[in-house]
Amino acid sequence: MKNIALILAGGRGKRFWPHSRFHKPKQLLQSPSGNSMLRDTFERLLPSFDTNDIYIATIEDLFQPIREMVPEIDMLNYIVEPTGKDTAASIALSTLLISHYRHHETNIAIFPIDHFIPEKEKFTLALNNAFQAVQEYKKPVIIGIKPKQNETRYGYICAGKKIEGKDDKNIYQVEKFKEKPDIEWIEENKKKHQLFWNTGIYVFSSKTILKLIKDWAPQLDQAIQQIADSIGTLEKGEVIKKQFNDRIIFFEYSSLKINDLKLVLMDNSAGRYRVQGYH
């Protein structure tokens, strides 16, 4: 099955304020490497993907500066949303369009752009292990990092049982997630679980993504189905704009504390697995 990379580059990076501003969002900020965060992310993926298999999801008003930052990416590999919504909406639209136009059945790895990962070989190994686990178990995978200290600014993964026969790949079942816990929670859960920092790097089959959205996010699924029905017609662009600008997507997630993929998909996916990325 084809392995695809999807870089999420539509957010404004409010956590990076005051460095990240409306006209210079986090994607374009300089990382410790001297490159932009987006450029770092793209180059980090090259050992694992052909350029033709790397896609970027962004929004209309960021398309041109992002295009200039990674000119190697083909125009057809951009998924351009009319307005920024949330992670789940972006992934749903991207998966639909990639599946329809390029690869019907794929495994898709989803990458945020606000990471600095100097240990590139370990990252590539963890990513390869994640794709193998998705292919073998037909379950979603998330890559985690073993914490070096207690950190209340990061999300945590509570890992359960290690998957038998995968000793060399450090694959575990996921018990639960916790977003930015306090020190008391971290210390208490150290006694019950193996804890890992949540990288936000998810790997799914395209069928799994769309099925989970259908089962657990029906309003978002309705919007995506409207877009699917418009593919191949002159109205497709207008339908996408309508579904993103209508409040059908926004209101479904506005009541959640965190507009994050894991709340919509991972927390509702039975038999979740994760792969330990780094020590």
Side-chain angles (χ1 to χ4, degrees):
M1 190 178 291
K2 193 75 170 174
N3 292 338
I4 296 294
L6 175 63
I7 300 173
L8 301 181
R12 292 289 180 182
K14 294 178 181 178
R15 290 187 296 111
F16 287 86
W17 188 90
H19 303 287
S20 179
R21 302 297 183 97
F22 185 84
H23 294 295
K24 192 174 183 180
K26 64 182 180 180
Q27 296 90 323
L28 309 180
L29 294 179
Q30 188 178 72
S31 80
S33 73
N35 291 326
S36 70
M37 290 185 176
L38 176 60
R39 185 76 204 179
D40 269 359
T41 303
F42 169 70
E43 292 184 357
R44 190 182 304 130
L45 300 180
L46 293 178
S48 302
F49 302 93
D50 292 334
T51 304
N52 288 338
D53 295 328
I54 299 174
Y55 292 77
I56 296 179
T58 189
I59 56 177
E60 287 181 357
D61 63 341
L62 293 179
F63 170 71
Q64 192 55 42
I66 285 176
R67 171 76 175 145
E68 293 171 1
M69 196 72 66
V70 280
E72 299 93 332
I73 298 291
D74 190 280
M75 291 281 288
L76 295 176
N77 284 34
Y78 282 89
I79 292 90
V80 182
E81 304 165 32
T83 56
K85 291 297 180 181
D86 56 34
T87 306
S90 179
I91 291 170
L93 177 64
S94 299
T95 302
L96 172 68
L97 296 178
I98 291 169
S99 299
H100 183 86
Y101 285 111
R102 302 298 289 271
H103 310 284
H104 182 61
E105 292 189 8
T106 62
N107 293 321
I108 301 179
I110 295 149
F111 299 95
I113 55 89
D114 53 358
H115 290 21
F116 177 63
I117 303 176
E119 296 172 303
K120 294 186 173 77
E121 290 184 2
K122 285 187 177 182
F123 168 79
T124 299
L125 178 62
L127 183 57
N128 291 340
N129 288 344
F131 274 118
Q132 290 175 23
V134 168
Q135 189 66 29
E136 182 172 352
Y137 295 109
K138 312 300 181 187
K139 300 292 183 182
V141 167
I142 182 169
I143 294 177
I145 300 173
K146 190 171 183 179
K148 296 179 180 178
Q149 72 273 338
N150 293 344
E151 182 54 74
T152 59
R153 296 174 298 173
Y154 298 162
Y156 276 73
I157 304 165
C158 293
K161 183 173 115 179
K162 194 169 188 177
I163 307 305
E164 292 183 7
K166 298 296 175 185
D167 293 343
D168 59 330
K169 294 183 180 177
N170 293 310
I171 300 174
Y172 299 81
Q173 288 181 318
V174 170
E175 296 294 333
K176 61 182 178 179
F177 295 94
K178 181 68 174 179
E179 187 68 16
K180 299 178 182 176
D182 56 30
I183 295 296
E184 182 180 358
W185 184 95
I186 296 171
E187 290 295 337
E188 180 63 27
N189 280 271
K190 277 181 180 178
K191 304 170 187 175
K192 305 174 185 176
H193 308 280
Q194 285 209 66
L195 298 183
F196 297 89
W197 288 333
N198 184 350
T199 65
I201 299 173
Y202 302 92
V203 186
F204 301 87
S205 73
S206 55
K207 284 185 176 181
T208 296
I209 296 174
L210 295 175
K211 185 177 187 306
L212 288 170
I213 288 171
K214 181 178 181 180
D215 291 345
W216 297 99
Q219 287 182 299
L220 174 57
D221 180 63
Q222 289 172 19
I224 292 302
Q225 290 307 314
Q226 290 286 328
I227 294 169
D229 291 343
S230 73
I231 292 176
T233 72
L234 296 176
E235 291 77 31
K236 185 189 76 172
E238 288 304 313
V239 171
I240 291 175
K241 283 186 178 180
K242 182 177 186 301
Q243 295 304 322
F244 269 72
N245 290 330
D246 279 357
R247 298 191 173 186
I248 186 170
I249 293 177
F250 177 76
F251 276 127
E252 181 169 6
Y253 300 107
S254 63
S255 61
L256 297 176
K257 291 182 180 179
I258 307 160
N259 270 353
D260 190 75
L261 172 70
K262 71 177 185 297
L263 289 176
V264 180
L265 302 183
M266 298 295 287
D267 281 355
N268 296 305
S269 178
R272 297 160 292 178
Y273 294 93
R274 62 162 295 283
V275 123
Q276 180 179 325
Y278 315 104
H279 293 274

